[in-house]
Amino acid sequence: MEILAFGVTADERPLLERAFAGQHEVRCLDVFLSEDTAPIAAGYEVVSSSVNADLSGRVLRILAAGGTKLIAQRSTGFNNIDLDVARQLGMTVSRVSAYSPYSVAEFAWALALAVNRRIVRASIRTRDFDFRLNGLMGRDMHGRTAGVLGTGRIGEAFTRIAHGFGMNLLGWDVEHNPACLELGMKYVDKDELFASSDLISLHVPLLESTHHVVDEAALRRMRDDAILVNSSRGGLIDTDALVAHLREGRFTGVGLDVYEAEAGVFFLDKSLEAVEDDTLARLVTFPNVLVTSHQAYYTGDAVAQIIDTTVANVADYLADRRSENTLVPS
């Protein structure tokens, strides 16, 4: 069988081809799956998509009309997939339910430390041989309070690093993680977490209940010198509200690896185009904001695990098996 994989990076391609070698042929495309590119999949029973693919009802219908029966998404999140339409069309949809939590947790900490210690500003200065320290003062993390919104596998990994820094630990989740409790975490409601934390890191999935969990009210509760990090999903933060607070001069730093309107922008080279997103354009101008391009998961270890799980998902589909990765049929 030949599998069509959309949104494959240059680093990912040899890993994907090697993983399927001897089992199936895989055709790798660097373009993302969308309404415009979906017709390319005509004749492919199995299509693999990347995190920013458009798998709305319209796209799914195009794929189904072309003979696609399995969507194997190479990511954990699936808020981009219309599962109801996939079910109506009789399609199977799978995802990667888990991969290295350390890749994302470590990157979240990289963002937190970079904005706290003004690393990007310092690097730009020294490249111009400007070695002044003015404006580069940070603060110790030791003894301060980390608020972890979502304490699953990634949140737990983030918490372990925070514990290593000697921080006080606050958490919020629908379930309490025993490992985090053993580290001394105190579970509180969201309002207290936002009000009491020096550093807030988001590790919850994007669901209807978590959309804009960091809204105007939450931002207003946060300390003026707080640090906010989001390496989960962009829709967790009301970006317009965040920009309004940044314009007031609030927050020591904000580190964002995701953005709620990133589809069609992230993973692409837009350097020679006019910026159409006024909110994103304003966001990146703040000196205390660091925006990266949804790369927290992007380590060799994590990508290899994602690909291995995708291979297993294809094998499960062909054998008519279900696993924890199968979204449809549920």
Side-chain angles (χ1 to χ4, degrees):
M1 176 183 291
E2 187 175 19
I3 297 165
L4 183 62
F6 285 91
V8 180
T9 68
D11 297 326
E12 185 184 10
R13 180 170 183 163
L15 299 175
L16 198 58
E17 292 175 338
R18 191 179 308 126
F20 277 110
Q23 303 178 58
H24 308 286
E25 295 292 325
V26 58
R27 178 186 174 193
C28 297
L29 303 178
D30 59 1
V31 297
F32 295 102
L33 181 54
S34 67
E35 190 172 349
D36 292 331
T37 61
I40 301 172
Y44 288 91
E45 181 177 348
V46 176
V47 166
S48 180
S49 58
S50 56
V51 62
N52 265 356
D54 174 5
L55 284 162
S56 60
R58 292 174 63 88
V59 174
L60 290 173
R61 291 186 179 91
I62 294 171
L63 293 174
T68 299
K69 297 180 179 179
L70 169 67
I71 303 293
Q73 177 137 298
R74 304 186 309 279
S75 73
T76 299
F78 53 91
N79 55 286
N80 60 318
I81 309 173
D82 192 326
L83 298 180
D84 290 334
V85 171
R87 193 172 291 108
Q88 293 167 13
L89 294 170
M91 303 178 80
T92 298
V93 180
S94 64
R95 62 159 178 164
V96 178
S97 58
Y99 56 87
S100 168
Y102 310 108
S103 60
V104 179
E106 291 171 4
F107 193 84
W109 266 105
L111 289 175
L113 294 173
V115 296
N116 177 43
R117 301 305 299 269
R118 317 290 196 250
I119 299 297
V120 175
R121 185 186 301 179
S123 176
I124 292 171
R125 281 189 187 179
T126 55
R127 289 175 67 88
D128 291 332
F129 287 85
D130 179 352
F131 298 98
R132 294 172 299 166
L133 297 181
N134 296 337
L136 301 183
M137 183 175 288
R139 56 182 175 177
D140 293 357
M141 290 295 187
H142 180 84
R144 286 189 162 81
T145 299
V148 186
L149 206 70
T151 56
R153 296 173 72 246
I154 297 173
E156 178 188 330
F158 184 91
T159 299
R160 290 188 181 280
I161 299 172
H163 181 262
F165 273 102
M167 301 186 75
N168 303 311
L169 305 172
L170 296 180
W172 177 87
D173 208 326
V174 292
E175 295 184 5
H176 295 183
N177 186 330
C180 293
L181 289 170
E182 289 181 8
L183 294 171
M185 173 171 279
K186 176 184 177 183
Y187 279 88
V188 297
D189 61 33
K190 291 194 294 290
D191 289 352
E192 182 175 345
L193 186 146
F194 287 126
S196 302
S197 300
D198 299 291
L199 164 63
I200 297 169
S201 191
L202 310 182
H203 300 289
V204 294
L206 180 58
L207 307 170
E208 185 176 347
S209 59
T210 60
H211 180 255
H212 284 185
V213 66
V214 182
D215 57 9
E216 161 62 29
L219 291 164
R220 186 60 61 190
R221 290 188 185 97
M222 288 171 55
R223 297 174 175 177
D224 288 344
D225 61 353
I227 293 172
L228 174 63
V229 173
N230 187 10
S231 57
S232 184
R233 285 295 184 268
L236 299 177
I237 297 178
D238 182 339
T239 314
D240 289 331
L242 175 62
V243 168
H245 282 262
L246 288 166
R247 292 183 65 175
E248 294 176 13
R250 301 189 67 220
F251 308 136
T252 290
V254 175
L256 303 175
D257 185 51
V258 288
Y259 173 62
E260 60 180 328
E262 68 182 54
V265 179
F266 279 25
F267 305 125
L268 300 173
D269 182 2
K270 297 288 186 177
S271 60
L272 299 180
E273 300 177 21
V275 179
E276 298 179 357
D277 188 328
D278 292 339
T279 301
L280 179 59
R282 185 69 181 94
L283 192 62
V284 299
T285 64
F286 292 104
N288 57 335
V289 174
L290 175 57
V291 178
T292 52
S293 53
H294 206 141
Q295 68 184 79
Y297 78 98
Y298 204 55
T299 66
D301 308 87
V303 171
Q305 292 171 16
I306 290 169
I307 290 173
D308 287 345
T309 301
T310 302
V311 172
N313 288 343
V314 173
D316 285 343
Y317 161 76
L318 294 174
D320 198 26
R321 292 190 298 260
R322 305 288 177 267
S323 75
E324 62 179 353
N325 299 314
T326 308
L327 296 170
V328 177
S330 56

